[in-house]
Amino acid sequence: AIVVNQPISTFYSYKFMGLNPQNGVPMFDDWEDRWWLLEGKELGEIIPLVLEDSGTREPKFTGNLNSTFTYKNWSLGLNFAYSLGSKVRLYGPIVNGVSSASNVRKEFLDRWQVPGDEKKTIYPALISPSSPDYSRYSVHYSDGTRASGGQIRKFANHIWQMYDDSNVRVVSGNYVKLQSLSLRYRMPNSVLQKTPFTQLDISFSTTNCFTISAKELKGQDPTQAGFADAGLSVRPTYTIGLNVSF
């Protein structure tokens, strides 16, 4: 949807209101109890009403800091990157698409299972497709197949998609990352005199060393760009080198 006077990288989230104490499904302030107020409105008008502004995916500040330290024959190089001012959505789907063929996030161990769990968790219950509740929640009222949604522009698919795209799944995208580290040792000339080499360097380097970011990410890469899908963090790489000159 096009929302007037908002940055192009702004994204919106459904307003999570907690879990249903009866069956553990997520609940939202989606205007179902006042759906007629959305009749005749364009999608760009509905979005600011039903969803909330979650911020922008593009950071306000980014940069790098490079440093090189030397001591005698040792040399250490560090390259830090930072990003401030963005928001990211947690990796999903957490509910929609759960099957025996794919893993889900570990947080699913803390999902709603019995009445009362809604007071201590935000993770919804698993509902079997054979359950009467499944078909009840599998279609959102705005898609036109339910009596109250015929004259409303569709703004959601079902509660599982709404949960994945809700405000409870949005966290800070700020991070500081040690992108690369390199350590080099140059063999002294006094040692090289006994060899055929005029210069010998032994080096160790690594990339994607570590990232300091929101604890809720739990291994998710905070460098989500634009509207690309969220992904897991980039794995470190290690290289050992030997450079000689004759």
Side-chain angles (χ1 to χ4, degrees), residues 148-169:
S148 61
Q151 304 301 318
I152 300 174
R153 299 294 295 271
K154 180 180 177 180
F155 60 86
N157 296 326
H158 42 67
I159 60 170
W160 314 127
Q161 173 260 323
M162 294 175 71
Y163 180 81
D164 284 338
D165 296 335
S166 68
N167 53 2
V168 77
R169 307 287 294 167

Side-chain angles (χ1 to χ4, degrees), residues 106-162:
K106 188 177 180 180
E107 61 200 28
F108 228 106
L109 294 173
D110 299 322
R111 68 187 183 278
W112 188 100
Q113 298 185 62
V114 296
D117 284 351
E118 69 280 354
K119 298 178 182 179
K120 57 185 179 181
T121 185
I122 59 172
Y123 306 118
L126 286 175
I127 297 181
S128 170
S130 62
S131 169
D133 282 339
Y134 187 86
S135 57
R136 175 185 173 189
Y137 295 112
S138 62
V139 177
H140 190 257
Y141 81 89
S142 69
D143 82 344
T145 61
R146 288 167 59 177
S148 61
Q151 304 301 318
I152 300 174
R153 299 294 295 271
K154 180 180 177 180
F155 60 86
N157 296 326
H158 42 67
I159 60 170
W160 314 127
Q161 173 260 323
M162 294 175 71

Side-chain angles (χ1 to χ4, degrees), residues 22-211:
Q22 301 300 318
N23 54 18
V25 300
M27 301 182 298
F28 305 93
D29 181 15
D30 60 359
W31 287 46
E32 185 172 11
D33 58 343
R34 52 200 188 279
W35 61 268
W36 59 88
L37 298 177
L38 303 177
E39 283 189 301
K41 294 184 180 295
E42 295 297 324
L43 192 57
E45 299 175 291
I46 294 177
I47 294 301
L49 295 175
V50 180
L51 284 74
E52 70 175 29
D53 183 345
S54 290
T56 175
R57 298 178 188 268
E58 300 299 331
K60 296 180 180 178
F61 304 99
T62 60
N64 290 78
L65 176 63
N66 296 287
S67 299
T68 301
F69 304 93
T70 58
Y71 177 74
K72 295 184 178 180
N73 289 15
W74 292 92
S75 176
L76 174 66
L78 303 172
N79 178 22
F80 288 92
Y82 66 88
S83 176
L84 303 172
S86 67
K87 297 287 186 177
V88 296
R89 203 180 293 284
L90 292 177
Y91 183 79
I94 186 173
V95 179
N96 184 32
V98 171
S99 70
S100 59
S102 60
N103 285 336
V104 295
R105 290 171 66 101
K106 188 177 180 180
E107 61 200 28
F108 228 106
L109 294 173
D110 299 322
R111 68 187 183 278
W112 188 100
Q113 298 185 62
V114 296
D117 284 351
E118 69 280 354
K119 298 178 182 179
K120 57 185 179 181
T121 185
I122 59 172
Y123 306 118
L126 286 175
I127 297 181
S128 170
S130 62
S131 169
D133 282 339
Y134 187 86
S135 57
R136 175 185 173 189
Y137 295 112
S138 62
V139 177
H140 190 257
Y141 81 89
S142 69
D143 82 344
T145 61
R146 288 167 59 177
S148 61
Q151 304 301 318
I152 300 174
R153 299 294 295 271
K154 180 180 177 180
F155 60 86
N157 296 326
H158 42 67
I159 60 170
W160 314 127
Q161 173 260 323
M162 294 175 71
Y163 180 81
D164 284 338
D165 296 335
S166 68
N167 53 2
V168 77
R169 307 287 294 167
V170 177
V171 300
S172 169
N174 297 343
Y175 69 86
V176 176
K177 174 186 290 189
L178 179 55
Q179 285 191 316
S180 62
L181 178 151
S182 61
L183 179 65
R184 185 184 66 182
Y185 177 73
R186 175 160 293 179
M187 198 69 67
N189 290 331
S190 58
V191 176
L192 293 178
Q193 289 176 356
K194 303 175 184 179
T195 71
F197 310 126
T198 59
Q199 182 175 301
L200 188 151
D201 293 339
I202 301 174
S203 62
F204 168 80
S205 63
T206 177
T207 62
N208 303 310
C209 308
F210 64 82
T211 302

